[in-house]
């Protein structure tokens, strides 16, 4: 029988932690992975950096008691979602524009919460039933946020999300102009990065609390507007 790896040990440790302690452990692993992806620790030999990054990234999905469906990239769905009609997208687009003035800055982007239509759709059976068909039982977390990257230099560094967005349904509403600079990048463990370019109306569904991801910085004149719904897989600890 092979000796347990550090990933195994961290996974076992997570079973003995409270929810708050587990969230702190996830935060530390996320910071470690994000820092390594951002080019920190350059003085450390490349081979050792690669091992450290793989350990942090492979540990993140293991902090959930084995309830995550097996996955390679963390992507559940990418494209035009069958759970949104053309009318839904148009209504979300209009509501997100109205809520821009209410958005508050959170680190290097703006967030608006509590919009009634976004919350209604986040709780809809259309989205819920689609997610169940893809990953099994899920629970909505009542989290529905409009995200705005519409000033030069906005973005978000490599990270993983909190438990409220274990499973994230991220839908593009606007990305202009056509000559785009900012992009969403996913960093699956020991794989090439996934560069995701959503057209308006398209969605990405992914395990946001388990796969390191980032949005690169906007440039002058660029505007990105999205809506994000959070779900939790049933059995998440």
């Amino acid at each position: 029988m092979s000796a347990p790896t550090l990933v195994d040990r961290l996974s076992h440790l997570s079973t003995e932690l409270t929810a708050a302690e587990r969230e702190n452990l996830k935060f530390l692993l996320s910071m470690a992975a994000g820092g390594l992806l951002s080019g920190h620790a350059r003085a450390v030999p490349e081979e050792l950096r690669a091992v450290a990054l793989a350990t942090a990234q492979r540990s993140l999905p293991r902090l959930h008691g084995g309830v995550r469906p097996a996955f390679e990239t963390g992507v559940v769905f990418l494209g035009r979602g069958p759970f949104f009609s053309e009318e839904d997208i148009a209504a979300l687009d209009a509501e997100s524009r109205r809520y821009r003035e209410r958005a508050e800055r959170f680190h290097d982007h703006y967030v608006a919460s509590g919009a009634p239509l976004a919350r209604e759709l986040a709780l809809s059976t259309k989205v819920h039933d689609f997610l169940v068909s893809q990953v099994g039982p899920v629970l909505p977390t009542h989290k529905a946020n409009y995200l705005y990257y519409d000033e030069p230099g906005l973005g978000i560094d490599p990270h993983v999300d909190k438990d409220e967005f274990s499973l994230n349904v991220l839908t593009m509403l606007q990305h202009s102009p056509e000559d785009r600079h900012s992009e969403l990048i996913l960093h699956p463990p020991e794989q090439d990065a996934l560069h995701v370019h959503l057209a308006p109306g398209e969605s990405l569904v992914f395990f946001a609390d388990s796969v390191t991801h980032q949005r690169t910085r906007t440039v002058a004149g660029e505007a990105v507007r999205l809506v994000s719904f959070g779900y939790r897989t049933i059995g998440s600890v």
Side-chain angles (χ1 to χ4, degrees), residues 27-93:
F27 176 74
L28 291 173
L29 290 169
S30 173
M31 291 291 290
L36 289 163
L37 287 165
S38 298
H40 297 301
R42 289 189 179 91
V44 177
E46 182 178 354
E47 183 177 353
L48 183 55
R49 293 201 309 272
V51 170
L53 177 59
T55 299
Q57 291 185 313
R58 290 206 171 275
S59 296
L60 286 164
R62 298 279 297 274
L63 302 183
H64 302 278
V67 299
R68 286 285 178 275
F71 61 76
E72 290 297 322
T73 65
V75 174
V76 174
F77 175 82
L78 176 61
R80 191 62 185 248
F83 38 83
F84 289 142
S85 66
E86 293 288 345
E87 292 75 16
D88 291 334
I89 295 297
L92 287 166
D93 179 62

Side-chain angles (χ1 to χ4, degrees), residues 12-195:
H12 177 72
L13 172 64
S14 72
T15 66
E16 301 177 349
L17 301 178
T18 66
E21 289 170 338
R22 192 176 302 108
E23 193 72 23
N24 287 335
L25 176 57
K26 183 171 68 174
F27 176 74
L28 291 173
L29 290 169
S30 173
M31 291 291 290
L36 289 163
L37 287 165
S38 298
H40 297 301
R42 289 189 179 91
V44 177
E46 182 178 354
E47 183 177 353
L48 183 55
R49 293 201 309 272
V51 170
L53 177 59
T55 299
Q57 291 185 313
R58 290 206 171 275
S59 296
L60 286 164
R62 298 279 297 274
L63 302 183
H64 302 278
V67 299
R68 286 285 178 275
F71 61 76
E72 290 297 322
T73 65
V75 174
V76 174
F77 175 82
L78 176 61
R80 191 62 185 248
F83 38 83
F84 289 142
S85 66
E86 293 288 345
E87 292 75 16
D88 291 334
I89 295 297
L92 287 166
D93 179 62
E95 185 177 66
S96 69
R97 292 178 186 275
R98 294 195 304 271
Y99 267 70
R100 177 61 183 91
E101 63 182 17
R102 307 188 189 190
E104 297 182 356
R105 183 154 182 155
F106 181 75
H107 297 304
D108 289 345
H109 61 293
Y110 289 86
V111 180
S113 304
L117 175 66
R119 178 166 293 183
E120 176 184 342
L121 288 174
L123 299 175
S124 70
T125 57
K126 292 186 297 184
V127 179
H128 176 268
D129 291 349
F130 175 81
L131 296 178
V132 170
S133 74
Q134 301 298 306
V135 302
V138 299
L139 289 174
T141 60
H142 301 267
K143 297 292 184 179
N145 296 332
Y146 288 119
L147 310 177
Y148 306 88
Y149 304 83
D150 51 9
E151 297 174 358
L154 295 184
I156 187 166
D157 292 335
H159 68 290
V160 297
D161 292 350
K162 294 184 177 181
D163 286 350
E164 289 88 349
F165 285 87
S166 296
L167 191 63
N168 192 347
V169 179
L170 186 67
T171 302
M172 181 66 71
L173 300 174
Q174 176 197 12
H175 193 166
S176 59
E178 292 185 4
D179 183 17
R180 301 171 179 178
H181 184 270
S182 175
E183 62 178 350
L184 178 65
I185 304 177
L186 275 61
H187 300 277
E190 298 177 287
Q191 299 181 55
D192 292 338
L194 297 178
H195 298 256

